[in-house]
Amino acid sequence: MIVFVARYGLGIVLALAVFGKAGNFTAFQGTLATFGIRGRLAQVGAFTVVTVEALTALMVVSPVADVVVGVTGTCLGASFTVAQTYLLAMGEQAPCLCFGSKERASIRTWARAALVLLMGLALWGAAA
């Protein structure tokens, strides 16, 4: 049951994030300036984030092993949690556009990032 919930929960959260970012891609790309990423590097970075999220969401409904989906989800979740932690620690009120909306970085955005991390870890741990 843990594997099912973690796998499909991760897929749903990532699919929502992909649709949100893709629907407001230029704005999402602009938010990377908060981390000092601008210009061509921001284009590549934004495209990479959306692509990896999309591929991970697609892996959920594919025959890819649970452990692979778990490891990928863990890496994404860790990256997102570190980014949100950085924003909060620096006192930044920058919009994260995590799901396409101009929501400011907050404990709520941090918790969503941590949720991705926890679902990835749960799936990885249960499948290993």
Side-chain angles (χ1 to χ4, degrees):
M1 183 66 166
I2 289 173
V3 170
F4 179 84
V5 170
R7 185 173 178 122
Y8 289 96
L10 183 63
I12 290 167
V13 170
L14 291 177
L16 291 172
V18 167
F19 287 124
K21 287 180 182 101
N24 205 353
F25 188 77
T26 303
F28 170 62
Q29 180 182 320
T31 65
L32 297 180
T34 305
F35 300 99
I37 303 170
R38 294 176 176 80
R40 180 75 176 134
L41 190 55
Q43 289 176 324
V44 171
F47 178 78
T48 301
V49 168
V50 173
T51 300
V52 172
E53 284 179 334
L55 290 174
T56 305
L58 288 172
M59 282 194 294
V60 165
V61 294
S62 76
V64 172
D66 291 333
V67 69
V68 174
V69 179
V71 168
T72 307
T74 298
C75 292
L76 279 171
S79 299
F80 299 156
T81 304
V82 165
Q84 291 298 310
T85 301
Y86 169 79
L87 291 175
L88 293 174
M90 299 306 290
E92 291 286 337
Q93 290 298 307
C96 75
L97 269 79
C98 304
F99 289 89
S101 64
K102 293 184 180 184
E103 183 177 9
R104 300 259 180 225
S106 66
I107 194 65
R108 178 184 152 125
T109 60
W110 184 90
R112 281 195 313 241
L115 178 63
V116 172
L117 173 60
L118 291 175
M119 285 189 290
L121 285 169
L123 185 56
W124 184 2

